[in-house]
Amino acid sequence: MLYRSRRLEALFGGPLGSVSYAELAALVDNPEAAEAEDQDYKRELTADDDKKREEFAKDLAAFANHIGGVLIVGMAEARGIPSKVMDTDVSDQLRRHLQQVAAANTAPPVRFDMRAVPNPRPEVSGRGLLLIAVPRSPHAVTAPPTTPTQKALRYPRRAASRTDWLSETDVATAYHRRFAAGADRSARLDTVERELLSALLLDGYPHLIVALTPEIPGEMVMNSESFDRYRTELQGVSLLIQEEDAFTTIRVGSRRLIATDGHPDGMLHHSHCELHRDGSGTFAQRVPLRFMDIDYERSTWLPPDLMVWLLMSALNILALHARDRTGATGTALIRAALVQSPPRQPDDPSRRAFPFPLIVDYGVDEVPLSTQSCTYADGEAVALLDDLAIEGPALVQATSQLADEIVQASGIAEALPVTSAGELRQAGWGVSLRYAMTKWARAHGINVVSA
């Protein structure tokens, strides 16, 4: 879901996307589950007249203008503490109606997720609890006021368990922070990427480099106990279809974890991953060297299926770190680059280039030969962090967007192994990877197409 809260997940007993009806019902009479700045309850939500539409829009914008939050519909409360499960309509029709009300009565329209949690008893079909999760971002209520107000701007904000209205200065500040956050995120991505390049020991060899930074940063706890746990986790990580461990050496760096697949100060390791305390992360993989002759000239050859596999694995590893170790949430800004020869330092133009030019190609008749080699190709995208952390079609979609931009630098229109619809093309995978990728895709609900 768009919004994640470590506090609420601990209270509910699990992530918003998987919490059960029984876990939500267990909130009744729990003082720790009282209404708060990030949590509210309603018996029902119909939004079928002007007053109710205005109230719903105000509830959404109030969460968005503060720190985000969750509205639980179908629960009565007494003095802010949930007192009884009432069950409410959780039909698709109601949820479509609420989406339309939000779009028509907030500006810009508030982004939010709705999840129906039906009552498991068969005699209560179509009723249960409705979770509405709202991430942080400034929004105004545009519904005509049904009561007199002097607040012409009408920007509500959650304050403890009530709603206040933002002043014009508050609104201007909120918008400034929104745009600054976008610029800050791009700058943060540049920073972690530069730090990775500074740490790479294998300059002169082609590398695939992936960097990610979350919209809403998290905070990774770092002490001896947590490091032992992180080290065990990372030593068990593998690339998506690879059984052997991806990392063997895990160490602590400045506000980060550093994971490699070999000796940290030698020429043996081929992977280098830096996982930052705020949820940002970078991953560099030395490209396995393959050669082919084109027009009597030897080139370094990277098959697109291998690039897609490494790219998809890196996105998943970085997103899992951001979501699970730091509690980051929202979207993620991601960048992937295929570099013929990374510089030893980011600002140093001198390179010890590998002697043969780098091309992206199958080397078989499935795709025309690349029209040109490239020394640097990159792609950039924004995706939901949770989507990247889950092995499924959305992860494939994000990979497809980045991979397409990378192969286009070599004169190929699209990366054949994956599609923008989140599918795998069976014909796009070489023999060595085809069986494993097909098995992986089918195990995770990813469609495999033959063309």
Side-chain angles (χ1 to χ4, degrees):
M1 302 183 82
L2 289 169
Y3 174 75
R4 290 201 65 189
S5 164
R6 282 175 286 181
R7 187 189 82 84
L8 293 180
E9 288 179 6
L11 179 66
F12 295 167
L16 301 178
S18 60
V19 63
S20 69
Y21 182 91
E23 287 170 326
L24 292 174
L27 299 176
V28 170
D29 295 330
N30 182 356
E32 294 183 2
E35 291 181 339
E37 60 184 354
D38 59 353
Q39 186 177 6
D40 198 7
Y41 300 98
K42 286 190 179 298
R43 286 173 175 257
E44 63 176 357
L45 182 59
T46 57
D48 54 3
D49 61 34
D50 288 344
K51 183 175 181 179
K52 292 176 181 177
R53 283 189 284 270
E54 180 192 17
E55 186 68 22
F56 177 51
K58 186 176 74 172
D59 288 336
L60 294 178
F63 278 135
N65 288 330
H66 188 36
I67 61 170
V70 175
L71 179 63
I72 302 178
V73 185
M75 186 87 76
E77 53 83 18
R79 296 183 180 179
I81 299 174
S83 58
K84 186 178 181 180
V85 176
M86 304 298 293
D87 282 343
T88 188
D89 180 12
V90 294
S91 65
D92 291 343
Q93 181 179 357
L94 174 66
R95 282 181 282 163
R96 285 194 298 270
H97 170 67
L98 294 178
Q99 290 280 9
Q100 293 167 357
V101 169
N105 293 281
T106 58
V110 174
R111 296 180 304 156
F112 65 99
D113 280 329
M114 281 186 289
R115 178 177 168 238
V117 187
N119 188 317
R121 302 202 317 269
E123 67 270 19
V124 197
S125 177
R127 297 184 68 79
L129 297 169
L130 183 65
L131 292 181
I132 299 178
V134 186
R136 180 179 60 188
S137 184
H139 297 267
V141 174
T142 59
T146 56
T147 57
T149 177
Q150 295 178 343
K151 307 295 184 182
L153 289 171
R154 293 170 48 78
Y155 282 78
R157 177 175 59 190
R158 191 79 175 166
S161 59
R162 67 180 192 279
T163 297
D164 288 338
W165 296 89
L166 297 178
S167 68
E168 188 168 359
T169 299
D170 292 330
V171 174
T173 301
Y175 272 103
H176 171 74
R177 287 175 178 166
R178 171 193 275 182
F179 297 128
D184 288 347
R185 188 155 59 146
S186 294
R188 178 63 177 152
L189 194 70
D190 291 339
T191 297
V192 297
E193 192 176 53
R194 288 164 58 87
E195 291 175 350
L196 174 76
L197 289 174
S198 297
L200 285 183
L201 298 175
L202 294 177
D203 64 315
Y205 289 83
H207 277 72
L208 179 68
I209 296 171
V210 184
L212 175 151
T213 189
E215 175 186 11
I216 302 174
E219 182 70 19
M220 177 173 61
V221 175
M222 184 69 77
N223 54 40
S224 296
E225 181 182 357
S226 64
F227 174 65
D228 287 342
R229 184 171 68 254
Y230 302 150
R231 179 170 52 195
T232 300
E233 292 171 354
L234 289 168
Q235 286 175 338
V237 165
S238 63
L239 302 184
L240 290 179
I241 62 169
Q242 191 180 43
E243 293 184 358
E244 61 265 28
D245 296 337
F247 308 119
T248 57
T249 302
I250 317 297
R251 65 186 192 275
V252 176
S254 175
R255 296 184 293 277
R256 75 197 71 181
L257 296 168
I258 300 172
T260 63
D261 70 349
H263 200 272
D265 58 358
M267 294 291 288
L268 298 177
H269 73 84
H270 304 295
S271 302
H272 186 101
C273 185
E274 301 199 353
L275 305 171
H276 293 259
R277 193 168 65 188
D278 67 350
S280 300
T282 49
F283 181 97
Q285 173 73 46
R286 194 181 80 175
V287 172
L289 298 180
R290 302 184 181 188
F291 304 100
M292 65 186 304
D293 293 319
I294 302 176
D295 296 332
Y296 305 103
E297 183 175 321
R298 174 151 287 197
S299 298
T300 307
W301 161 46
L302 175 63
D305 58 347
L306 179 58
M307 181 191 70
V308 165
W309 166 49
L310 294 173
L311 176 54
M312 192 153 40
S313 298
L315 290 176
N316 187 243
I317 289 169
L318 297 178
L320 282 169
H321 163 72
R323 187 190 70 177
D324 296 344
R325 293 191 193 94
T326 77
T329 188
T331 61
L333 177 61
I334 46 180
R335 182 185 301 147
L338 182 62
V339 187
Q340 180 177 347
S341 177
R344 185 176 293 277
Q345 297 293 334
D347 296 324
D348 182 3
S350 64
R351 297 167 183 263
R352 190 182 69 203
F354 198 78
F356 305 122
L358 176 65
I359 64 169
V360 179
D361 212 303
Y362 282 98
V364 294
D365 293 333
E366 292 179 270
V367 172
L369 292 174
S370 301
T371 58
Q372 66 264 352
S373 63
C374 62
T375 58
Y376 180 90
D378 69 350
E380 193 167 293
V382 175
L384 289 174
L385 192 59
D386 275 353
D387 285 348
L388 299 177
I390 297 171
E391 298 176 40
L395 173 62
V396 178
Q397 285 181 309
T399 302
S400 173
Q401 183 171 343
L402 295 169
D404 282 351
E405 294 187 14
I406 289 173
V407 302
Q408 285 161 8
S410 291
I412 300 174
E414 61 178 327
L416 189 62
V418 285
T419 75
S420 59
E423 301 170 321
L424 299 188
R425 287 193 184 100
Q426 193 172 42
W429 295 88
V431 175
S432 62
L433 291 176
R434 184 177 299 172
Y435 173 77
M437 286 305 303
T438 301
K439 181 180 177 182
W440 172 81
R442 289 174 177 161
H444 294 92
I446 300 166
N447 193 30
V448 180
V449 294
S450 57

